[in-house]
């Protein structure tokens, strides 16, 4: 796997995570892990992290070999 392929694939995966967290917040979906209701602020943090990682993955794809 080349670096460009890796960065493109990781960018797509992180973008999907980003979109799912946006949908969770907009559509007010509940997230339950082991009986624990995950608060919305956790999705906000995950949204910021996944968006940042997707951005940098696509940015690094341009400069990869």
């Amino acid at each position: 796997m080349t670096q460009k392929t890796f960065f493109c694939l990781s960018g797509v995966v992180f973008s999907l995570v980003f979109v799912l967290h946006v949908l969770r917040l907009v559509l007010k979906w509940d997230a339950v892990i082991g009986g624990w209701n995950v608060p919305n602020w956790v999705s906000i943090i995950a949204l910021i992290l996944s968006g940042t990682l997707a951005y940098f993955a696509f940015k690094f794809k341009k400069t990869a070999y």
Side-chain angles (χ1 to χ4, degrees):
M1 177 182 297
T2 65
Q3 283 185 347
K4 282 191 177 198
T5 305
F6 173 77
F7 286 130
C8 185
L9 182 62
S10 62
V12 168
V13 169
F14 285 125
S15 295
L16 288 173
V17 172
F18 175 84
V19 168
L20 287 173
H21 280 290
V22 168
L23 287 174
R24 177 178 184 244
L25 292 171
V26 170
L27 299 176
K28 302 199 186 311
W29 290 343
D30 290 331
V32 180
I33 299 174
W36 174 61
N37 282 336
V38 180
N40 285 341
W41 63 266
V42 174
S43 280
I44 293 170
I45 292 171
L47 176 99
I48 294 167
L49 288 174
S50 61
T52 303
L53 289 171
Y55 168 77
F56 280 112
F58 288 124
K59 183 178 175 182
F60 291 152
K61 177 184 163 254
K62 292 180 184 178
T63 61
Y65 292 109

